[in-house]
């Protein structure tokens, strides 16, 4: 009887963890970018990600001002959230992101990432994200140096290094990203060892191993996953990489 009760508690805890445990992971995280999904068939693609070995949904919100493209807004994010069985990792490519933090939370975001270049008061913005109970991320454009995060690195849960210029999927990976991963890891060492480094843009099986070996934890992949013939296998292959066996 007692054992049965303990087992029930264990199952409940496990279930609770499934969607909620965002940051504690033993392995790297794969976050397919919904931007590359079939928008006329979103439910099918969401189900595919639910059934895959992917960990998060990466949601790109673009306003046509911060970036030269418009993606989708809160009604679509809400619809995705209703069907997504994994955490929503929301990447805000918008000016004045503070205006939309509550909306993101209401739409089911568990991680909210704002751009360094879009925040005059980054410290305040990160505090507001945490106040909502979300993990706080900061994205850096390819031209933005990592050292600008030095005085706030201890307050960040995730740094998203843009490995393409934000705004579009399907672009070519920028090689300099490797240096930025190493710089960030060195900067966070001993101060914020739990910091997650996410790579966003042009991720493929060709660069994923080296990115992980250099210190990345989260790989966002849009077109490489959704344009592949067998997305489930592509996700499995990205998830299955063993960084310790990579040569740099
Ligand atoms: C680019 C977006 C990315 C994009 C990645 O502005 O932030 O998340 O969807 O797409 P791929 O993987 O196709 O480069
Ligand atoms: Zn993104």
């Amino acid at each position: 009887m007692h054992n049965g009760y303990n087992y029930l508690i264990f199952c409940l805890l496990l279930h609770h963890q499934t969607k909620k445990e965002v940051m504690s992971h033993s392995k790297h995280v794969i976050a397919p970018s919904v931007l590359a999904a079939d928008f006329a068939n979103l439910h099918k693609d969401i189900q595919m990600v639910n059934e895959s070995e992917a960990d998060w949904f990466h949601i790109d919100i673009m306003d046509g001002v911060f970036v030269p493209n418009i993606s989708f807004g809160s009604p679509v994010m809400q619809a995705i959230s209703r069907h997504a069985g994994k955490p929503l990792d929301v990447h805000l490519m918008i000016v004045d992101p503070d205006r939309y933090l509550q909306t993101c939370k209401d739409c089911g975001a568990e991680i909210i990432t704002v751009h360094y270049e879009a925040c005059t008061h980054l410290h305040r913005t990160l505090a507001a994200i945490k106040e909502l109970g979300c993990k706080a991320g900061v994205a850096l454009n390819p031209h933005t140096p990592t050292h600008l995060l030095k005085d706030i690195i201890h307050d960040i849960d995730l740094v998203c290094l843009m490995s393409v210029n934000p705004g579009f999927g399907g672009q070519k990976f920028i090689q300099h990203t490797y240096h930025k991963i190493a710089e960030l890891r060195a900067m966070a060492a001993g101060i914020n060892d739990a910091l997650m480094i996410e790579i966003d843009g042009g991720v493929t099986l060709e660069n994923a191993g080296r990115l992980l070996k250099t210190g990345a934890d989260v790989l966002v992949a849009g077109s490489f996953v959704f344009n592949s013939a067998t997305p489930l296998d592509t996700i499995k292959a990205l998830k299955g990489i063993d960084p310790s066996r990579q040569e740099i």
Side-chain angles (χ1 to χ4, degrees), residues 151-219:
D151 288 337
I152 197 154
I153 197 75
H154 50 281
D155 278 324
I156 305 177
D157 294 311
L158 175 149
V159 173
C160 173
L161 289 177
M162 291 309 301
S163 38
V164 297
N165 283 294
F168 303 93
Q171 301 180 80
K172 195 167 171 285
F173 176 82
I174 296 171
Q175 296 288 323
H176 184 66
T177 310
Y178 296 117
H179 295 282
K180 294 176 82 169
I181 299 173
E183 284 169 2
L184 259 183
R185 262 301 154 233
M187 183 197 293
I191 300 170
N192 183 357
D193 292 321
L195 177 77
M196 299 190 92
I197 300 179
E198 176 177 69
I199 309 302
D200 190 6
V203 171
T204 67
L205 269 171
E206 254 171 57
N207 53 28
R210 183 172 167 197
L211 289 168
L212 295 172
K213 176 109 185 189
T214 312
D217 309 279
V218 184
L219 301 179

Side-chain angles (χ1 to χ4, degrees), residues 31 33-36 58-62 67 91 93 115 160 162-172 200-204 220-225 227:
S33 172
V34 175
L35 187 67
H58 185 79
I59 310 289
D60 289 308
I61 306 293
M62 304 178 183
V67 288
H91 177 192
M93 283 161 277
H115 265 263
C160 173
M162 291 309 301
S163 38
V164 297
N165 283 294
F168 303 93
Q171 301 180 80
K172 195 167 171 285
D200 190 6
V203 171
T204 67
V220 174
S223 41
F224 188 66
V225 164
N227 295 351

